[in-house]
Amino acid sequence: MPAPFTPHSSQTDYRTGDLKLGRTAVLADLGRYLQVPFNSLVNCVGAVPSQQVLEQIRDHLIESEILIDDKNGLRWTEFTPPAQSKASEEKTFQPLGPIISAILAQVQNHGISFSSNPNQTPLSQRNNTFRPDAYLVRDDKQTAPRTHWFDIAVPFEFKKERNTETLRDDEQKIIWSLHNIMREDPCRRFAFGLTIEDTQLRLWLSNRAFVAATKPINFFENIDDVISLFYALGSASASSTMKGLGWDPTVERVHDGEEIQYKLTVGDEVFTTTRELATYGADSMVGRGTRVYEATDAKGKKVAIKDSWREVERQSEGEILENILASCAEKLKTEELADAKRHFVGVRLWEDVIIDDTRDETLDPMVTEEHDRTWEWVSIDLNPILSARLHLPSTGDVPDSGRLSAFLPTQLGIVRRHETGIPRRVHVRTVFKDVGVVVKDVTSLADNLRCLSGGLKALYYLHKAGWVHRDFSIGNVIWVGDIGKLGDFEYAKKIDSNTSHDVRTGTMSFMALEVESQGYYFLPPLDPLPFDTDLPIAPPFRMNFLHDIESVWWTFTWIFFYHTDTNTAKAPADHSFDVHSQWTQFQLAFPGAIGQISRRDFFTLIRHLQSSCKDVLSKTCFDVCCHIPHFAKALQDGYRKAEANYPELALDNTLLEDMHGRAAEFLRDAQERAMDINLSPLPDLLKQKRSRPESESSPLENRGKRPRHG
């Protein structure tokens, strides 16, 4: 389901370019990793050597003096336990290079090589200044003047000592490297990593369902396991596509001058991207990892293509939309059906990604394990404490609270951990007929509101057909030509009175209060009951059309509190407008985490809401959106009417028509007032008004330096 809080990788600290803040944001989102037996994950990497081949490799390593086998036993010739070394970390781990290279050499057609302590920070499309201790790099890129993160197969982190601090440091750094590989490269489906603290080695895996680490093995006592690991990595690299190390053979990177584009295979067709539309979904390590591109087909026709990972038990978005249209055909009039199709984003094609005639799914590291099937979730230590320094967002992709540390780590875990098994996801691509601009990026206020009205119209038909959308937000309504269309149907659900309690679903900042609290909020007061009378059994909570309409209200409100009009933005001498006051109110209304009283009060305290709109918004904007409080009041009246006879809910067609009619009227009134007003994001104005702290440097200013581990 969508995250019940705004991911920290969508918030301010992550996007400042500060390496430490970015890394902490990623760790806070991830929260945990899966610990599995060593051999179970190694068996997922590639072909491990048979006992006969293992003995042959061991003999070869002895002959080449990589290993010694004498009265003291089998041991590495040059590599001794790091904690015993008085040399620097770099020199202590230098002998790893010959060991790994000698093992890889036993794999025919292996495609990777070991590079220790690179002299340069790898190239990055994201201005990432981090440098791993070492890595396995693609052989076909080894002669490049500088390694790119695109070409790193397996990153490494080393520590001479093994203690709580070094373990935490290596965990945080290897997770950041794996994160960077997965966010940087659309060609990667998963990635492996390695950490060594003194004698203890762990193998890591990152995919869109989870991050995993093995239980440690002793590099000096479990020599056969070490040989098997690097042999398996070499075997996984032997294919020209490198698919065994996570590269996607159905994606090809192409260079168009200085621009990088991609060719993506969907079924029997190939589409070439022309520009990114939305790729910030790939910033979260675990989740859908959604990337959306404008692209062209073989005939040059323009489309939008979405690459994402859905939960294994869920239908694809294309299937869900097909079912929605079938319900519309059954329940809507002919002209309504035609209008519904105009207001739904059109899907041309959808397919699960197929690799080697098999559906592309995230790995199950326990599938090959016959003996030790124990696994567990390990919480990530976020020490040192998250930074409390306030930063301004560099983009408006997702509204945030203004700082990473606005919520304690314990708050982050309230509703995220329900799995009883190892999560699994399926790789899917969807091709859309419509290419447009999401409503958050439409700068003409009149067009923005027309777009929002189109999204509301789509909801109306969806609700009449017996469905709820469950994720209406600024990223899911699209301005196509001169019409607003509703997209992202991955979490749409048919209303079924027999279903169990709904889970919390939606984008946090636009989620209805009742969905957030998982309970009915506008119930009538209970009449006095005799002392020995049992209360009626509450029905399971389920989302209904009122919750979707409330999400429209939050989106409508976000537009005005996240922006001001360009005339006000260009007139800093206008002391009647206080940009900091509006930003503070925005943070209270859109805090980015569940259970925040400020968000509840913002919606429910109508007089306070009216004062907030009038006091903090520019006069130009307030004149357009003055009905925000009336819209909220209408929703509350609707809730009270629906819940008046609780535990029975009166969600009939009369209420549906009334609420949609009133919501449409509020948007239409604002649209008529918008005229030729253009919007300016508030953070842009805030940046103009602040001077950069001396301690905060731009990522671009750090390019060319060689920071080590931030």
Side-chain angles (χ1 to χ4, degrees):
M1 74 185 72
F5 60 92
T6 303
H8 289 96
S9 56
S10 298
Q11 295 184 26
T12 300
D13 282 358
Y14 178 82
R15 298 183 180 276
T16 60
D18 184 302
L19 178 60
K20 185 176 180 180
L21 292 175
R23 194 163 68 200
T24 306
V26 169
L27 294 168
D29 279 349
L30 185 59
R32 64 178 184 171
Y33 61 83
L34 187 69
Q35 183 172 269
V36 298
F38 181 81
N39 288 327
S40 69
L41 190 53
V42 172
N43 289 333
C44 292
V45 175
V48 295
S50 65
Q51 186 60 37
Q52 180 181 358
V53 171
L54 184 61
E55 292 173 0
Q56 292 172 352
I57 295 173
R58 195 190 307 134
D59 290 342
H60 175 79
L61 294 178
I62 293 171
E63 291 173 8
S64 57
E65 299 184 345
I66 297 295
L67 280 172
I68 297 175
D69 191 7
D70 58 18
K71 63 180 182 180
N72 294 318
L74 189 67
R75 64 191 187 279
W76 305 109
T77 304
E78 300 292 338
F79 194 28
T80 57
Q84 300 174 11
S85 173
K86 295 182 180 180
S88 67
E89 183 181 283
E90 181 176 342
K91 289 186 177 180
T92 297
F93 285 95
Q94 272 184 351
L96 268 181
I99 292 172
I100 295 172
S101 298
I103 299 171
L104 290 175
Q106 302 306 300
V107 181
Q108 189 174 6
N109 299 322
H110 72 274
I112 51 176
S113 298
F114 180 76
S115 181
S116 179
N117 296 302
N119 292 322
Q120 290 180 309
T121 301
L123 292 170
S124 169
Q125 303 303 108
R126 302 285 294 268
N127 294 325
N128 178 33
T129 58
F130 181 74
R131 177 169 62 89
D133 283 324
Y135 40 72
L136 296 175
V137 65
R138 293 179 63 129
D139 280 345
D140 56 355
K141 303 295 182 181
Q142 197 178 23
T143 58
R146 190 170 171 187
T147 300
H148 198 292
W149 278 97
F150 287 158
D151 306 317
I152 293 177
V154 182
F156 290 60
E157 289 298 328
F158 306 137
K159 288 290 183 297
K160 289 175 60 178
E161 304 287 340
R162 179 177 175 81
N163 53 49
T164 301
E165 183 178 346
T166 58
L167 280 169
R168 180 175 62 238
D169 194 60
D170 269 1
E171 285 180 0
Q172 293 181 357
K173 288 171 179 174
I174 199 67
I175 287 171
W176 177 258
S177 285
L178 294 171
H179 161 73
N180 199 66
I181 288 171
M182 295 295 288
R183 72 166 180 173
E184 185 104 1
D185 193 357
C187 297
R188 291 301 279 272
R189 300 147 49 230
F190 58 86
F192 293 106
L194 279 169
T195 54
I196 302 176
E197 298 87 26
D198 187 20
T199 63
Q200 303 296 296
L201 175 149
R202 288 183 293 170
L203 175 65
W204 292 75
L205 166 68
S206 175
N207 60 38
R208 291 301 179 186
F210 57 83
V211 171
T214 64
K215 298 172 184 176
I217 64 164
N218 191 303
F219 198 96
F220 298 86
E221 296 177 0
N222 304 98
I223 289 176
D224 283 356
D225 285 337
V226 173
I227 293 172
S228 295
L229 167 62
F230 289 105
Y231 186 94
L233 289 168
S235 299
S237 72
S239 165
S240 60
T241 63
M242 292 279 192
K243 62 180 181 291
L245 291 179
W247 273 275
D248 189 340
T250 68
V251 181
E252 179 187 355
R253 192 174 2 260
V254 293
H255 292 268
D256 182 9
E258 295 184 358
E259 296 290 323
I260 296 176
Q261 302 297 346
Y262 296 90
K263 291 186 176 181
L264 294 94
T265 299
V266 186
D268 296 327
E269 296 190 61
V270 177
F271 299 86
T272 304
T273 65
T274 53
R275 65 185 177 101
E276 293 181 356
L277 295 178
T279 60
Y280 51 83
D283 291 345
S284 295
M285 291 191 75
V286 172
R288 288 185 283 177
T290 302
R291 291 181 169 97
V292 185
Y293 300 93
E294 180 183 274
T296 55
D297 64 12
K299 297 181 180 180
K301 184 174 179 58
K302 189 180 294 186
V303 298
I305 185 167
K306 177 195 284 189
D307 182 275
S308 62
W309 295 77
R310 74 175 189 274
E311 291 100 329
V312 71
E313 68 276 5
R314 294 194 64 83
Q315 290 182 309
S316 68
E317 183 176 5
E319 290 177 287
I320 293 171
L321 184 55
E322 191 175 63
N323 291 334
I324 289 171
L325 289 173
S327 294
C328 288
E330 179 183 341
K331 297 187 177 182
L332 301 183
K333 298 176 182 177
T334 303
E335 61 274 14
E336 289 179 323
L337 176 61
D339 200 34
K341 290 179 178 179
R342 289 180 63 242
H343 286 88
F344 295 158
V345 170
V347 174
R348 166 173 160 176
L349 171 68
W350 71 90
E351 294 280 351
D352 290 341
V353 174
I354 303 296
I355 296 176
D356 293 338
D357 298 322
T358 302
R359 187 171 74 166
D360 189 21
E361 297 183 11
T362 54
L363 293 172
D364 180 351
M366 302 305 296
V367 71
T368 61
E369 185 57 46
E370 298 179 358
H371 305 292
D372 183 2
R373 295 191 59 81
T374 58
W375 58 271
E376 62 181 344
W377 291 110
V378 177
S379 297
I380 293 173
D381 185 355
L382 291 179
N383 189 48
I385 301 300
L386 307 184
S387 165
R389 187 175 66 179
L390 182 65
H391 291 275
L392 295 173
S394 57
T395 71
D397 290 335
V398 179
D400 60 51
S401 64
R403 64 173 185 242
L404 176 76
S405 55
F407 312 102
L408 297 174
T410 52
Q411 288 177 288
L412 303 182
I414 292 173
V415 291
R416 289 197 293 178
R417 310 306 186 204
H418 295 301
E419 300 93 349
T420 56
I422 296 175
R424 302 290 303 279
R425 287 183 176 267
V426 179
H427 197 182
V428 61
R429 294 196 182 113
T430 309
V431 181
F432 298 94
K433 302 172 186 177
D434 300 307
V435 182
V437 180
V438 292
V439 68
K440 73 181 182 64
D441 293 330
V442 178
T443 56
S444 162
L445 182 54
D447 287 348
N448 192 299
L449 295 171
R450 275 194 287 269
C451 181
L452 190 57
S453 293
L456 177 64
K457 177 62 73 71
L459 274 185
Y460 170 68
Y461 293 127
L462 189 74
H463 294 158
K464 284 195 71 173
W467 289 69
V468 284
H469 186 271
R470 303 201 301 169
D471 193 18
F472 191 100
S473 73
I474 57 170
N476 296 337
V477 186
I478 304 169
W479 186 237
V480 182
D482 61 351
I483 187 172
K485 299 196 176 195
L486 182 61
D488 203 345
F489 293 91
E490 291 179 77
Y491 294 96
K493 182 178 180 180
K494 195 169 186 178
I495 299 171
D496 182 354
S497 60
N498 295 319
T499 56
S500 60
H501 190 94
D502 269 357
V503 296
R504 185 183 287 105
T505 302
T507 303
M508 181 61 243
S509 292
F510 309 99
M511 188 182 292
L513 291 184
E514 290 191 340
V515 177
E516 179 187 348
S517 65
Q518 291 288 276
Y520 298 106
Y521 196 82
F522 299 93
L523 301 175
L526 280 173
D527 294 328
L529 295 173
F531 180 76
D532 58 349
T533 302
D534 293 330
L535 292 173
I537 298 175
F541 176 80
R542 287 186 295 272
M543 287 188 66
N544 58 59
F545 61 81
L546 291 172
H547 300 131
D548 274 344
I549 298 174
E550 186 183 329
S551 292
V552 176
W553 179 87
W554 284 105
T555 304
F556 178 54
T557 304
W558 183 92
I559 291 168
F560 290 95
F561 277 82
Y562 189 79
H563 299 91
T564 191
D565 61 282
T566 53
N567 288 337
T568 297
K570 293 174 182 177
D574 181 6
H575 297 293
S576 65
F577 175 69
D578 185 343
V579 62
H580 296 286
S581 292
Q582 182 173 327
W583 182 246
T584 298
Q585 185 60 66
F586 172 81
Q587 292 174 306
L588 293 171
F590 299 92
I594 64 170
Q596 301 303 301
I597 294 174
S598 64
R599 183 173 188 267
R600 182 199 66 191
D601 289 349
F602 183 78
F603 176 74
T604 58
L605 303 180
I606 298 299
R607 292 187 183 278
H608 185 268
L609 174 60
Q610 189 167 21
S611 297
S612 296
C613 293
K614 189 172 183 179
D615 293 345
V616 305
L617 299 178
S618 71
K619 184 178 184 307
T620 301
C621 285
F622 177 71
D623 287 345
V624 176
C625 69
C626 57
H627 289 308
I628 283 178
H630 304 90
F631 192 169
K633 178 63 165 56
L635 277 165
Q636 293 178 37
D637 290 344
Y639 281 124
R640 291 188 177 95
K641 187 178 295 185
E643 298 167 16
N645 295 314
Y646 182 85
E648 293 184 7
L649 299 177
L651 296 166
D652 54 29
N653 286 334
T654 301
L655 182 61
L656 187 153
E657 294 286 347
D658 178 58
M659 290 308 304
H660 268 285
R662 298 182 73 180
E665 184 179 350
F666 289 128
L667 295 185
R668 186 164 51 249
D669 178 81
Q671 183 181 315
E672 291 171 355
R673 296 166 182 260
M675 297 180 291
D676 59 352
I677 297 171
N678 287 308
L679 296 171
S680 177
L682 214 61
D684 290 352
L685 184 56
L686 285 162
K687 286 178 184 178
Q688 296 170 14
K689 290 180 175 291
R690 73 162 182 172
S691 59
R692 179 184 297 165
E694 291 182 5
S695 62
E696 183 182 336
S697 58
S698 162
L700 295 176
E701 293 169 357
N702 285 327
R703 295 179 74 178
K705 298 180 182 179
R706 201 184 76 181
R708 179 67 192 105
H709 295 331

